[in-house]
Amino acid sequence: MAAILARAGATAAASGSLPKSTGRRHRNAVIVAAGTATGQAVPQEGALERPAWSGETPLSRLVGALIAFKPLYSLMKLASREVIIRTAEKSNIPWREMTKKVLESDVYEVFERIRDPNLVYPDYYLSPFHAYDDGNLSWLAAAEAEPATMSIAKRAISEAKSIEEANQIVRGSWLNAIEEHHLKYSGNCEINDILDIGCSVGVSTRYLAEKFPSAQAVGLDLSPYFLAVAAQKEEKLSRQNPIRWVHANGESTGLPSDSFDLVSLAYVCHECPARAITGLVKEAFRVLRPGGTIALTDNSPKSKVLQELSPVLFTLMKSTEPFLDEYYMLDLDETMRQVGFVNVCSILTDPRHRTVTATVPY
């Protein structure tokens, strides 16, 4: 399979069928972002608008055809899972220990308190992804979410000597981008209320709460399993303003309009079809106050690292991410402008991820 994909990629490059630049692009262009402040190498853009293995390219269609073949897809799913766990454990992330600790805890009691039994799940959320047949609606997915999140940072900063160092760079760069944007464009509006949409097991929510300790943070997610893990962990922490957890759809939160100063979506959009991403952006605009900031951090289509992934890795990744092509094809900056946001800024905050920030006008 790898040989077939490698030949297809080489053929696409030779024939000129890879995506062409549509705007001002420079090979290996330097993005002013995280690296300068951390002493790490500054993240770089690749030569393309998006990876050759995404969208409607011949290579992408070939990968899609392979994934659509069910016996092969089942093998890919297992292989992807093994790669993720093995990579994490090589980085000293105690994946199996952390998973076991959650599954053997009292998290099930928290689940009953936090779940909204009347919530209707959107159709896309019921699709298998991340190598789980039930997607995020399962205890295994919830128990493995934190070690998986930790491995994101280590993959992004492979040269980091520890998970802690990698997290400090990845999360620090993301939080700095949010703070800098808000200070520049909010008109002195303080961050008093934070909404973290798609908060998963609360990792990003806790980072936001620690960065802005005087603010009241709300973590919102469609998965009651993830929220139960987040809430159980939060109950054991001592915090000036405890995080509130809400089981709801990020496209229709039910929260009051003009009630937040910051809305964050961290590693959410690549898991959603384009229509859902647009819905999330619209809902963020509704619940933000004038001068409020939206911040979306996720895979960057322009990342040099992602554009140069090996055929095996990008095929395994696409096999567990059914909406990845839609995410890469969507012009996120323009979507935010059409919804009404201004001051849209997109930067590489680490070699794999971008942070897109924007403001609700007064």
Side-chain angles (χ1 to χ4, degrees), residues 81-96 98 144 146-152 154-155 163:
R81 181 173 171 75
E82 284 302 312
V83 167
I84 291 168
I85 295 175
R86 188 168 62 248
T87 302
E89 292 184 334
K90 280 183 179 177
S91 300
N92 296 317
I93 298 171
W95 185 292
R96 290 175 175 84
M98 293 176 72
E144 294 185 333
E146 186 160 6
T149 301
M150 292 167 68
S151 69
I152 289 174
K154 191 64 174 70
R155 285 199 303 272
I163 291 299

Side-chain angles (χ1 to χ4, degrees), residues 278-351:
T278 301
L280 291 167
V281 172
K282 287 180 177 178
E283 182 67 354
F285 188 86
R286 183 187 71 82
V287 300
L288 278 166
R289 298 180 178 117
T293 297
I294 184 174
L296 296 86
T297 191
D298 215 315
N299 294 347
S300 172
K302 298 177 182 178
S303 160
K304 184 174 186 288
V305 171
L306 293 181
Q307 289 187 12
E308 296 178 357
L309 282 180
S310 72
V312 169
L313 287 180
F314 67 63
T315 302
L316 291 178
M317 181 167 67
K318 290 189 76 172
S319 73
T320 65
E321 300 282 6
F323 305 112
L324 203 56
D325 281 336
E326 289 194 49
Y327 167 72
Y328 280 133
M329 292 293 288
L330 181 68
D331 187 334
L332 188 54
D333 295 27
E334 183 58 27
T335 298
M336 294 169 78
R337 291 188 188 97
Q338 288 180 359
V339 167
F341 283 101
V342 295
N343 305 320
V344 180
C345 304
S346 180
I347 61 170
L348 284 174
T349 38
D350 66 60

Side-chain angles (χ1 to χ4, degrees), residues 81-288:
R81 181 173 171 75
E82 284 302 312
V83 167
I84 291 168
I85 295 175
R86 188 168 62 248
T87 302
E89 292 184 334
K90 280 183 179 177
S91 300
N92 296 317
I93 298 171
W95 185 292
R96 290 175 175 84
E97 275 181 49
M98 293 176 72
T99 300
K100 183 180 179 183
K101 184 177 179 181
V102 171
L103 294 175
E104 294 180 352
S105 71
D106 61 353
V107 70
Y108 310 99
E109 298 172 15
V110 182
F111 174 85
E112 293 302 328
R113 297 199 306 268
I114 210 160
R115 179 175 70 101
D116 177 0
N118 298 315
L119 182 64
V120 177
Y121 297 101
D123 57 352
Y124 74 86
Y125 200 72
L126 302 175
S127 301
F129 54 89
H130 288 175
Y132 303 108
D133 290 338
D134 296 320
N136 287 342
L137 295 173
S138 74
W139 282 117
L140 184 59
E144 294 185 333
E146 186 160 6
T149 301
M150 292 167 68
S151 69
I152 289 174
K154 191 64 174 70
R155 285 199 303 272
I157 313 295
S158 57
E159 69 276 15
K161 295 176 182 177
S162 66
I163 291 299
E164 291 74 21
E165 181 186 348
N167 264 317
Q168 185 178 9
I169 295 169
V170 171
R171 298 292 181 169
S173 301
W174 160 63
L175 292 168
N176 287 341
I178 293 173
E179 185 177 43
E180 289 171 10
H181 183 100
H182 195 78
L183 286 172
K184 185 174 182 179
Y185 296 112
S186 70
N188 297 319
C189 168
E190 292 186 4
I191 295 180
N192 294 315
D193 296 283
I194 300 170
L195 175 61
D196 189 21
I197 295 178
C199 68
S200 182
V201 294
V203 175
S204 57
T205 324
R206 291 192 293 273
Y207 273 105
L208 288 163
E210 288 161 11
K211 177 70 174 179
F212 305 102
S214 63
Q216 173 64 62
V218 175
L220 181 146
D221 204 274
L222 266 169
S223 173
Y225 302 88
F226 283 17
L227 286 171
V229 174
Q232 184 207 37
K233 185 160 188 171
E234 181 68 12
E235 287 173 0
K236 298 174 182 178
L237 301 176
S238 176
R239 196 187 301 281
Q240 176 185 341
N241 292 314
I243 297 169
R244 182 162 70 94
W245 307 101
V246 176
H247 183 210
N249 185 343
E251 297 177 71
S252 180
T253 63
L255 298 170
S257 299
D258 304 333
S259 55
F260 293 93
D261 306 297
L262 170 63
V263 172
S264 170
L265 293 98
Y267 311 108
V268 173
C269 292
H270 76 277
E271 297 181 1
C272 303
R275 69 180 188 277
I277 298 172
T278 301
L280 291 167
V281 172
K282 287 180 177 178
E283 182 67 354
F285 188 86
R286 183 187 71 82
V287 300
L288 278 166

